Amino acid sequence: MDLRDTPEEAAFRAELRAWLEENLPDNLQGHRGGAARFEGPEMRAWSRALYDAGYAGLTWPKEYGGGGAPYTHQAIFLEEMARAEAPPHIGVIGLGMAGPTIMAHGTEEQKSRHLAPTLSAEEIWCQGFSEPGAGSDLAGVRTSARIDDGHFVVDGQKVWSSFAHIADWCLLLTRNDPDSTRHAGLTYLIVDMHSPGVEVRPLRQITGEAEFNEIFFTGVEVPAENVLGEVGGGWQVAMTTLLHERGTLGFALQAVLEVQIKKLVGLARDRGADPLQRDRVAQEWIELQALRFTNARALSQLVKTGIPGPEGSVAKLVWSEANQRVTKLALELLGPDAPLADANAPYGGYWQHQQLRSRGNTIEAGTSEILRNIIAERVLGLPRSR
Amino acid sequence: MDFTFTPEQEDLREQARAFLAEHPQASWRELADLGWTGVSISEEDGGAGLSFLEEAVLFEELGRALHHGPYFSTIALALPALPDDLRSEVAAGETRWTLALGPLVTDLDTADRIAMVGGDGIYELEGADRELLQTSDETRPLGVLRGGEPGLRLSDSGVLEEIRRRALAALALEACGVARRALEYALEYVTTREQFGKTIGVYQAISHPLADSYMRLELARSLSLWAAWCVAEDDEQAPVAAAAAKAYAAEAAVGVCEAAIQAHGGIGFTWEHELHRLYKRALWIESFLASGTRLRADIAATLLDGASTSGSSASPVPVSVTEGG
Ligand SMILES: Cc1cc2nc3c(=O)[nH]c(=O)nc-3n(C[C@H](O)[C@H](O)[C@H](O)COP(=O)(O)OP(=O)(O)OC[C@H]3O[C@@H](n4cnc5c(N)ncnc54)[C@H](O)[C@@H]3O)c2cc1C
């Protein structure tokens, strides 16, 4: 056990810190988050800069444009990005889900076609899993993909699809066999969002912004080679995506919370906090350290044995609930100013926005109830509830 | 960065768990024969020359077994104050110590010698009468001392900071052991007990609190192992890490025991089942030295007023002063 950086890790950290100091544009530092930041050209430029410097896809193989670096570098990268309050790469879904899924199940052509453009922010991804009738119970997916004359024809509706309004490609879970039910008969497709018959309708959410969307597919033709994995084997591929959505996010989530706690402490200093509020600030700081070292334990286990420890399964659950408490505590510290919004609110409405956005954290990427089921059943070995 | 135990440390844990399962109330002599009393004592003084990390493994396992003996008092509280010749007696299993930090003193039923804080030093207390008090946790007695005189000077009182860090970390680790055992009991029970024609673990009102218990235990362990490493390395974060670990782990252990008792129904409420003993130890840990509220007040002072946690001069927390949003 040695919690310090190795000399090699320390060198990587120092180099990265210097790079961030030099290259992070002022107007992107400490952005309040949300959909708006993805709209201008500066986020693509920033993502491109990360890519050119070799920081996008650090752990991906070099042949696909990645860095070929160990997971520890990725953890350091996220820590330093948080420290500098730098926004993430615009390819949240591309880097977090599309890339890992394509690497695990894709053909050689799919890998060379998609991985590098994803890292360089030339191609943005969205995830088309949820439907009006299939949320937590994802095996209820009904969007159909008929095989017709050497291609798929897709019809159906997806919902809550984040970034679909700016996406070039979609990870689409469909049903190829109309007579099938549940996990069988599903096919995982890579769909060009610019194809005829794809219609995206933004959905305004609790924050007032439209970050997620409905997607309607009407007779959309998808080339046969765009299937990921086997026809009828979509469920296994989808599980890889979900594993990465919930799993490798650990350090990214911790980095988000790190920024949040830093700001919370600053807020409590600026505005003053009563003894009960001070207790809660300390509690949240402690939970952040707990999350941080839990991720570190899971990472060390992964590096040593190739298998992530079960500790990692708690990261998303812990983070989402912590982020909700932290942002609510911030509103409390704002006192009578809490109801103000946007430009009229202190700090440009940062906390008001963050607090509302945090309510989605326990719903997106698997609700807290579903994640508790997973811990109970897969980690603790309790009987399956469904 | 490497946050895993070495194979030797893993072996020590396995050995300790197996031994304590058979002999939860092993004698001091038996612990000494296993080499546990001299883990961090230098080889010249008859110890193993290892670190607090190996002791950490033992604190966790002794907590899990609800071991009744002065290991905590001797190794976590007294050891840093002892000069070399007395340390070698501890390593050899000849002397058990406790340290009087306040009016209520631990392990007076088993300790051979008593250290006390007086002015600028730590001394041996000689000629005092001991009175054991009734406590709900029978495995970790408390008592009071009457009369007596400071005798042999053991060390400078500067060592109290180190004692506090070791003690807080040790208590956090014990709490993790206690919580793990309670969770294991609950998992065993809810996977076998049936009601309404189903194994009760299928009901989410049962399974979700246990999932939360697992989560809290893992977080508590991460903090406790961080604290253990900081103590072992004399890292500048040791004071705040130990405070954070004790604050979180003690409350987590209390909560996990409560969830386990509830999941057991009537059986969880009996004297016969071991759960109440685990629960009482968890409550004991929560109250000893400093409660979670007290420790968080210290941490808040470090974060918000720039004070140092428990007298350390290190500034553990990088925070930006200007950024409130
Ligand atoms: C901000 C945001 C972004 C999102 N982005 C995407 C995206 O990019 N792509 C995408 O495909 N989806 C996305 N989603 C959708 C998200 O994955 C679903 O909302 C989520 O899986 C829940 O599905 P649902 O909304 O249908 O709710 P339901 O599944 O109907 O759940 C309703 C309630 O019932 C509970 N519940 C359901 N089943 C159980 C059970 N077995 N046990 C206990 N409780 C249960 C749930 O926990 C929840 O509280 C996003 C959602 C949000 C909020």
Side-chain angles (χ1 to χ4, degrees):
Chain A
M1 194 178 289
D2 189 347
L3 305 187
R4 286 173 287 245
D5 285 345
T6 63
E8 184 265 324
E9 288 163 0
F12 173 73
R13 189 188 294 277
E15 183 190 295
L16 169 60
R17 200 174 279 188
W19 185 87
L20 283 168
E21 207 140 293
E22 187 88 343
N23 291 283
L24 175 62
D26 283 346
N27 64 336
L28 286 182
Q29 191 188 24
H31 195 285
R32 73 172 199 176
R37 71 172 171 202
F38 292 105
E39 262 133 45
E42 61 284 354
M43 274 291 288
R44 280 208 199 218
W46 165 241
S47 306
R48 175 80 204 194
L50 284 171
Y51 173 71
D52 290 338
Y55 293 125
L58 270 172
T59 60
W60 294 17
K62 283 208 161 114
E63 52 187 310
Y64 303 125
Y71 287 107
T72 43
H73 281 206
Q74 178 67 7
I76 291 170
F77 171 74
L78 291 165
E79 265 172 34
E80 291 300 318
M81 289 279 282
R83 196 171 178 281
E85 292 183 35
H89 188 287
I90 192 169
V92 175
I93 292 182
L95 270 64
M97 291 177 242
T101 310
I102 291 171
M103 278 187 272
H105 300 278
T107 61
E108 211 38 57
E109 292 75 55
Q110 288 168 338
K111 292 181 197 171
S112 14
R113 166 69 191 80
H114 290 293
L115 295 177
T118 298
L119 292 179
S120 63
E122 284 156 75
E123 292 184 355
I124 293 181
W125 290 79
C126 66
Q127 175 197 21
F129 278 25
S130 306
E131 296 182 4
S136 300
D137 189 6
L138 189 58
V141 156
R142 290 223 305 264
T143 294
S144 80
R146 269 184 305 117
I147 301 176
D148 179 25
D149 201 15
H151 54 254
F152 293 94
V153 179
V154 175
D155 287 281
Q157 182 192 352
K158 294 287 173 179
V159 71
W160 322 130
S161 190
S162 306
F163 314 117
H165 57 298
I166 55 167
D168 305 296
W169 293 92
C170 181
L171 299 169
L172 190 71
L173 189 60
T174 65
R175 191 167 292 285
N176 61 287
D177 177 358
D179 300 326
S180 67
T181 55
R182 312 293 302 160
H183 309 88
L186 295 175
T187 292
Y188 197 121
L189 296 176
I190 297 176
V191 177
D192 184 346
M193 290 294 283
H194 308 294
S195 311
V198 176
E199 190 198 342
V200 175
R201 290 188 203 153
L203 291 166
R204 197 166 180 205
Q205 56 204 42
I206 202 168
T207 53
E209 299 174 307
E211 197 183 3
F212 59 29
N213 307 266
E214 289 176 295
I215 318 175
F216 295 89
F217 298 88
T218 318
V220 178
E221 286 187 18
V222 179
E225 64 265 24
N226 281 18
V227 63
L228 200 51
E230 303 291 321
V231 173
W235 184 255
Q236 287 74 2
V237 186
M239 287 305 102
T240 303
T241 305
L242 292 189
L243 188 76
H244 284 278
E245 182 173 20
R246 293 163 191 168
T248 54
L249 278 175
F251 278 96
L253 299 176
Q254 165 199 322
V256 174
L257 192 60
E258 193 115 33
V259 173
Q260 220 68 309
I261 297 288
K262 194 161 122 183
K263 289 181 187 287
L264 180 76
V265 166
L267 176 67
R269 284 180 174 185
D270 279 2
R271 294 245 156 180
D274 69 29
L276 290 178
Q277 292 164 337
R278 290 168 66 92
D279 183 83
R280 284 155 65 199
V281 171
Q283 178 71 27
E284 298 308 339
W285 181 86
I286 293 172
E287 294 238 1
L288 167 65
Q289 309 311 316
L291 180 61
R292 183 168 149 209
F293 289 104
T294 300
N295 285 338
R297 275 205 297 141
L299 175 67
S300 293
Q301 192 68 27
L302 179 68
V303 168
K304 223 173 210 183
T305 64
I307 306 160
E311 311 88 3
S313 60
V314 306
K316 195 272 186 176
L317 194 48
V318 171
W319 164 76
S320 57
E321 296 182 354
N323 198 36
Q324 293 181 343
R325 289 192 309 270
V326 166
T327 50
K328 196 114 65 70
L329 176 54
L331 287 196
E332 196 183 308
L333 290 168
L334 287 174
D337 290 343
L340 301 175
D342 299 326
N344 290 123
Y347 312 106
Y350 177 85
W351 289 111
Q352 286 82 353
H353 176 267
Q354 289 286 317
Q355 192 273 328
L356 288 170
R357 181 62 185 82
S358 78
R359 299 318 302 175
N361 299 156
T362 50
I363 301 170
E364 59 197 325
T367 68
S368 292
E369 290 75 20
I370 295 302
L371 296 182
R372 285 191 168 85
N373 286 348
I374 291 175
I375 292 173
E377 293 165 18
R378 312 239 177 101
V379 182
L380 302 182
L382 299 189
R384 288 181 65 86
S385 60
R386 288 145 290 124
Chain B
M1 188 227 26
D2 172 21
F3 205 167
T4 56
F5 283 108
T6 62
E8 292 75 20
Q9 290 164 341
E10 295 288 5
D11 287 349
L12 175 64
R13 181 184 301 283
E14 255 174 55
Q15 176 212 32
R17 189 168 299 186
F19 174 78
L20 289 168
E22 292 286 309
H23 315 279
Q25 303 313 340
S27 68
W28 190 252
R29 171 94 312 247
E30 287 173 296
L31 300 193
D33 289 346
L34 287 165
W36 295 4
T37 63
V39 169
S40 68
I41 295 171
S42 68
E43 288 178 88
E44 302 89 85
D45 294 322
L50 298 169
S51 76
F52 190 73
L53 274 180
E54 284 78 13
E55 287 172 341
V57 169
L58 295 175
F59 281 120
E60 205 178 338
E61 294 305 317
L62 288 161
R64 184 177 192 279
L66 289 183
H67 176 72
H68 177 174
Y71 194 84
F72 169 73
S73 302
T74 308
I75 303 298
L77 294 180
L79 194 60
L82 299 184
D84 291 348
D85 55 329
L86 296 179
R87 294 166 83 90
S88 68
E89 286 182 14
V90 170
E94 287 157 15
T95 336
R96 298 164 293 184
W97 283 85
T98 189
L99 170 66
L101 281 170
L104 294 176
V105 184
T106 52
D107 294 322
L108 285 178
D109 58 334
T110 46
D112 304 301
R113 298 169 75 170
I114 300 162
M116 58 166 282
V117 184
D120 64 343
I122 298 182
Y123 297 84
E124 179 166 14
L125 176 67
E126 287 165 6
D129 289 327
R130 307 177 183 197
E131 186 192 336
L132 282 179
L133 302 174
Q134 287 191 352
T135 46
S136 22
D137 176 11
E138 294 175 347
T139 62
R140 180 60 63 73
L142 291 171
V144 289
L145 296 161
R146 288 184 218 293
E149 291 287 330
L152 180 68
R153 184 179 162 97
L154 299 170
S155 77
D156 188 88
S157 61
V159 77
L160 279 171
E161 267 184 42
E162 185 193 340
I163 289 175
R164 184 179 169 85
R165 299 200 286 271
R166 282 173 71 87
L168 290 173
L171 291 169
L173 290 152
E174 280 193 352
C176 292
V178 167
R180 173 159 311 248
R181 188 72 195 97
L183 180 60
E184 283 170 7
Y185 274 126
L187 295 177
E188 268 164 51
Y189 191 73
V190 307
T191 47
T192 48
R193 170 77 174 165
E194 290 186 6
Q195 284 293 281
F196 300 96
K198 287 183 188 161
T199 315
I200 58 172
V202 84
Y203 301 117
Q204 290 171 339
I206 291 288
S207 66
H208 286 194
L210 296 182
D212 283 335
S213 295
Y214 169 78
M215 196 161 82
R216 293 179 77 183
L217 170 58
E218 288 305 326
L219 296 181
R221 271 202 96 212
S222 302
L223 289 167
S224 302
L225 297 178
W226 171 45
W229 182 82
C230 288
V231 169
E233 293 290 319
D234 211 7
D235 189 86
E236 62 174 13
Q237 300 240 36
V240 74
K246 159 70 159 75
Y248 191 90
E251 289 179 1
V254 170
V256 172
C257 287
E258 287 170 353
I261 290 169
Q262 182 67 21
H264 276 76
I267 289 171
F269 191 65
T270 61
W271 189 265
E272 190 188 340
H273 202 289
E274 200 193 18
L275 275 175
H276 75 96
R277 297 178 202 279
L278 292 163
Y279 185 41
K280 288 166 187 171
R281 174 66 75 85
L283 289 166
W284 190 97
I285 293 172
E286 162 61 6
S287 66
F288 192 71
L289 221 50
S291 68
T293 334
R294 180 68 250 155
L295 293 166
R296 284 191 296 273
D298 291 348
I299 292 173
T302 316
L303 292 171
L304 302 178
D305 318 327
S308 64
T309 298
S310 65
S312 150
S313 56
S315 166
V317 196
V319 286
S320 98
V321 189
T322 49
E323 280 283 343

